[in-house]
Each structure stands twice: as structure tokens, then as C-alpha cells.
Amino acid sequence: MGMKDYLESDSSDSDASATGVSGGGRKALLKRKDKKRKDKEPALAPKEDKTIVKNKQRVMILSSRGITQRYRHLMSDIFTMLPHSKKDSKLDSKSKLHIINELAADNQCNNTLFFEVRKHKDLFLWMSRTPNGPSVKFLVQSVHTMDELRMTGNCLKGSRPILSFDKNFDNPTTPHMNLLKEMFSQVFGTPRTSRKIKPFIDHVLSFSVVGDMIWFRNYQIIEKQIEGEKQPETSL
């Protein structure tokens, strides 16, 4: 390539000197040729931003000492519904809750669900974003486990849910409800990058506000055949 370029520049110099063009004229001619080449070249399209935001959410689930059988089944049901969760051993101390941040860091989790039982009858649920917060404390009432409902709404283990929120969560006059919606989305929304998920969506997690209470329900998605529609025949 270097030899070819040298020969072309030498011939152009000889032609220019033969016609009697001065050095300044040769530079002007070369500038005009460069402008024509740039005008003919197509404009390069701007590069698209291909940065993909990955939802890396992991939830640690643990309870305090003295948890009853009903609440233990509730915690197991939630652990089954969240394939991106990890269960930890029971927490001995109820006063030193800052230990939860250390446990979450050891388990590489950025969300925490802590079931705190008092007097063997009252259940308080701590939902926090570790390690810097925010955190929310709920009083859990009207608990019905999957076994009591005879597995109604049972979903495939590892399937992803559809999250449904009440319109009260989007009310601009209640900013704390907007924060709760974002926290529920991070905790109960199963990311695509989780290792234990299955490529199915067969249940809906509903969050509705009635009075001062937030109702959490699990609905199963069932496909039904439309009346009058023939079922496709299958053959081997």
C-alpha cells in the first residue's frame, strides 16, 4: 500500500508541474477533491445505545424464634412463589435488627422479608431494601395458607408472576403508596436473570388497598376453551 500511494502522488506531482500549476494551486485542487469525496460519502448513522438494564433482585427470607405453625407455612408459601429468594436460619435477637443487613450481604441479597412473631400470636412483617433502606413494617392479619385453601391457585414452582396493583398506589397525594408499589415490585417481581425460573406465567399477585389495609392475594391463570371452538386435533 505504501508503494502504491507513493506512485500516485508522484504522478500527480508530475502532471501538475507539466501543466505549470504552482504549489498553492495544487493544494487548492486537493482540498476541492477532498470536499467532493466527503459530500459523496454517506453520513454514518448514530450508534444505538445497547446498554441493557438487568434486574438483579434477590430476596432473603427469615423469621424470628417462636414462630407458629400457621406463620411457618405462610413463609414457606411465599418462599415457593419467589424463585429468586433465599431462606436463612432463624434470628435469635429481636432487638438487634441491624444484623439482618450483614446476613443479607453474606447471602448476596438486596431485599429482605423478616417475619417477627410476638407472644406467639402477633405477626409483623419487615420488608426492607438492604443495606441503606427504606424499610416497612406490616401487621399481618387474615392469614390463609395454601394448605387451608386446598391448593387453590397453586402455581408451577419457578414460574414468574404478573403483578397487579390497585389504582390507589398511583395516587399523587399519597407518595408513601408509590414507594410501597416500587418495593413490592422489587421483592415480588421475579427477574428474568434468575437461575431457578421457568419460562411460564401462570399466576397473578394482586395488591389492593381497602381502608388502611393492603390485601395480598394469589390468583391462578386457567386457560378455558371458547364455546363453539373446535379443539385442534393432534396426531403422532
Side-chain angles (χ1 to χ4, degrees):
M1 290 294 294
M3 188 64 181
K4 185 178 179 181
D5 293 340
Y6 174 76
L7 291 176
E8 288 180 354
S9 61
D10 189 24
S11 61
S12 61
D13 290 341
S14 61
D15 293 340
S17 60
T19 53
V21 181
S22 61
R26 287 198 301 270
K27 291 182 180 179
L29 290 174
L30 291 175
K31 287 183 179 179
R32 291 177 185 175
K33 289 181 180 179
D34 292 338
K35 287 184 179 180
K36 290 181 180 179
R37 290 176 183 175
K38 290 180 180 179
D39 295 339
K40 291 181 181 179
E41 290 180 356
L44 296 177
K47 294 182 179 180
E48 297 180 357
D49 189 9
K50 296 183 179 180
T51 56
I52 300 175
V53 180
K54 293 184 179 181
N55 182 15
K56 296 182 179 180
Q57 303 292 336
R58 295 190 66 183
V59 184
M60 184 183 67
I61 301 176
L62 72 163
S63 66
S64 62
R65 294 286 182 183
I67 188 171
T68 60
Q69 183 179 4
R70 177 189 293 270
Y71 299 148
R72 190 184 302 111
H73 283 295
L74 174 64
M75 186 176 66
S76 299
D77 292 340
I78 293 179
F79 175 72
T80 305
M81 287 190 298
L82 302 179
H84 61 295
S85 62
K86 190 173 183 179
K87 188 181 291 186
D88 199 273
S89 58
K90 296 180 180 179
L91 189 65
D92 296 330
S93 177
K94 296 181 182 178
S95 59
K96 300 179 181 179
L97 297 181
H98 61 86
I99 304 176
I100 297 178
N101 292 333
E102 300 177 3
L103 296 175
D106 294 339
N107 294 319
Q108 297 180 354
C109 298
N110 49 10
N111 297 287
T112 304
L113 291 177
F114 175 57
F115 293 82
E116 181 183 359
V117 181
R118 296 182 180 177
K119 299 180 181 179
H120 297 277
K121 61 179 181 179
D122 296 332
L123 175 63
F124 294 91
L125 174 62
W126 286 87
M127 183 175 63
S128 64
R129 175 80 176 180
T130 57
N132 299 323
S135 60
V136 188
K137 184 179 181 181
F138 299 98
L139 174 62
V140 182
Q141 297 177 345
S142 302
V143 177
H144 299 282
T145 61
M146 301 289 286
D147 294 336
E148 293 178 355
L149 300 175
R150 297 180 181 180
M151 309 305 289
T152 302
N154 187 25
C155 55
L156 180 68
K157 187 175 182 179
S159 62
R160 298 178 63 199
I162 296 176
L163 302 183
S164 175
F165 292 94
D166 190 5
K167 62 180 181 179
N168 294 320
F169 284 96
D170 297 326
N171 192 350
T173 59
T174 55
H176 63 283
M177 299 301 292
N178 300 332
L179 178 61
L180 287 177
K181 180 181 178 180
E182 183 64 27
M183 295 183 68
F184 284 136
S185 301
Q186 294 179 2
V187 173
F188 293 94
T190 305
R192 295 183 179 180
T193 56
S194 180
R195 299 178 181 178
K196 299 180 182 179
I197 66 168
K198 301 294 187 301
F200 304 103
I201 297 177
D202 59 355
H203 64 289
V204 178
L205 299 181
S206 173
F207 300 89
S208 56
V209 180
V210 179
D212 295 334
M213 300 181 65
I214 298 177
W215 291 88
F216 170 71
R217 294 184 177 93
N218 178 32
Y219 294 97
Q220 183 181 4
I221 300 176
I222 301 177
E223 295 183 2
K224 292 185 178 180
Q225 186 179 359
I226 303 175
E227 297 181 359
E229 183 180 356
K230 295 182 179 180
Q231 188 174 2
E233 298 180 358
T234 58
S235 60
L236 297 176

